[in-house]
Amino acid sequence: MTQLSPENASKIGFIGYGAMASRMGTHLKKAGYSVTAYTPSGKSPDPSVRMAGTPRDLAKQADTVIVCVPDDEALAASMYGEHGALAGIKTGTLLINTSSVSPEATTRLADAGKKVGITVLDAPVSGSTPEAEAGSLVILVGGSANDIENAQPIFNAIGKVTIHAGPSGCGTRLKLVINGIMGAGLTTLAETIAYGLAAGLDRTMLFDALDQVAVISPHHKRKLKAAKDSNFAPQFPGRLMQKDMRLLLDAAAREAVPVPTIAATTQMLSLGRRKYPNEDYSALIGIMEKLVANDT
């Protein structure tokens, strides 16, 4: 199968072109691809990118369609119906869904793609805006080995590692596993930092000490450094992390897997989403710190 290099599949259509997708698009353009985008607002962070009027219009022009939208509802709105991408996509086109959505939404899209003669890869990414900026995302792909090999030049342009998670749907499921670990780890940090402060530990010492220990991941150390300065600029907005916890909680229930830690994490991140939906999900650290400060 021929790989989708700039020489034989140069036109990429991006549905959803926000903080993550626009950074991916920049790397794809550097690799020689042309990028057209669609957003519901008609706006793009990159004014040099041509915007399509509807997902259908975009799909008609593209050799490969990449989708990067926030949730199941946005995916359905962009894929289905009279103006959806599937109404205009060409037979043989590859559709790469990088969105973090439910396993059910992933299965529906794969089945719909078969009906119109296209291949769909679920390929959510692990990493936030810094990794997207650096082109060092980890791509978690569900699909056949041949289809993934076909798309590899695109994945190489936006990421440092491509993981073949298994058949269609497995990329989505692996993404939920990874984000569950992220969310639970951050919630534990928020709670234990609150305890330390309430117990009288010096704030600067506490944050600096946690930055030195091996039990905390590099990702969470980055969050700690920002939280020390009360910087919760959105690299991964709280509304999206809470959504992923909700998806994992539902997916685990469907498999009859008890996940009480994830259930508690979802509740804590719901608090974060309620207070600061568009700030980074690590704003939960700040919420817990304020709670302790107000009680002392």
Side-chain angles (χ1 to χ4, degrees):
M1 183 177 291
T2 303
Q3 288 189 328
L4 297 175
S5 65
E7 290 74 25
N8 59 35
S10 63
K11 298 178 182 177
I12 290 179
F14 242 113
I15 296 176
Y17 209 65
M20 291 290 289
S22 60
R23 287 168 168 83
M24 288 189 263
T26 295
H27 288 291
L28 288 165
K29 288 191 292 181
K30 288 179 180 178
Y33 296 93
S34 68
V35 175
T36 302
Y38 164 81
T39 61
S41 67
K43 298 178 181 178
S44 163
D46 182 354
S48 70
V49 170
R50 186 166 59 87
M51 303 299 289
T54 67
R56 178 179 179 174
D57 293 339
L58 179 139
K60 285 181 177 179
Q61 305 168 33
D63 300 314
T64 301
V65 175
I66 303 177
V67 189
C68 188
V69 295
D71 51 33
D72 287 19
E73 293 77 14
L75 182 66
S78 64
M79 292 291 105
Y80 308 113
E82 180 182 357
H83 300 294
L86 294 181
I89 204 161
K90 298 174 289 188
T91 300
T93 299
L94 178 62
L95 175 63
I96 301 173
N97 181 21
T98 68
S99 314
S100 296
V101 294
S102 70
E104 292 73 29
T106 296
T107 298
R108 181 189 178 194
L109 182 57
D111 290 345
K114 290 178 183 177
K115 292 179 181 178
V116 296
I118 66 168
T119 297
V120 180
L121 295 177
D122 50 293
V125 299
S126 180
S128 300
T129 50
E131 289 77 19
E133 185 86 43
S136 60
L137 295 166
V138 176
I139 320 297
L140 317 169
V141 194
S144 75
N146 284 341
D147 290 331
I148 293 170
E149 182 181 0
N150 185 29
Q152 195 61 58
I154 291 174
F155 296 145
N156 289 344
I158 63 175
K160 64 177 182 179
V161 175
T162 301
I163 296 174
H164 184 187
S168 178
C170 289
T172 293
R173 292 173 174 86
L174 179 57
K175 172 69 169 180
L176 292 181
V177 171
I178 292 168
N179 279 21
I181 295 168
M182 286 172 55
L186 190 282
T187 298
T188 300
L189 279 176
E191 293 178 353
T192 51
I193 287 171
Y195 159 73
L197 295 174
L201 294 178
D202 177 77
R203 184 181 187 274
T204 298
M205 181 283 298
L206 177 58
F207 278 85
D208 288 348
L210 293 174
D211 188 47
Q212 296 301 316
V213 295
V215 296
I216 298 175
S217 72
H219 170 83
H220 288 120
K221 286 184 178 182
R222 188 170 74 201
K223 300 301 180 187
L224 279 170
K225 288 179 180 178
K228 181 181 178 182
D229 297 328
S230 298
N231 175 13
F232 303 112
Q235 296 179 351
F236 192 167
R239 59 186 169 81
L240 297 182
M241 177 55 91
Q242 187 265 0
K243 176 263 301 182
D244 286 351
M245 292 301 98
R246 174 173 53 82
L247 292 178
L248 176 56
L249 192 61
D250 179 71
R254 291 174 185 270
E255 301 292 341
V257 176
V259 286
T261 301
I262 297 302
T265 296
T266 304
Q267 295 303 311
M268 289 298 291
L269 289 170
S270 291
L271 171 63
R273 178 174 180 170
R274 171 67 60 176
K275 296 286 289 183
Y276 302 110
N278 297 312
E279 296 298 303
D280 194 82
Y281 83 106
S282 59
L284 183 61
I285 296 173
I287 292 171
M288 291 298 288
E289 182 175 353
K290 287 179 182 178
L291 179 66
V292 171
N294 289 339
D295 286 346
T296 58

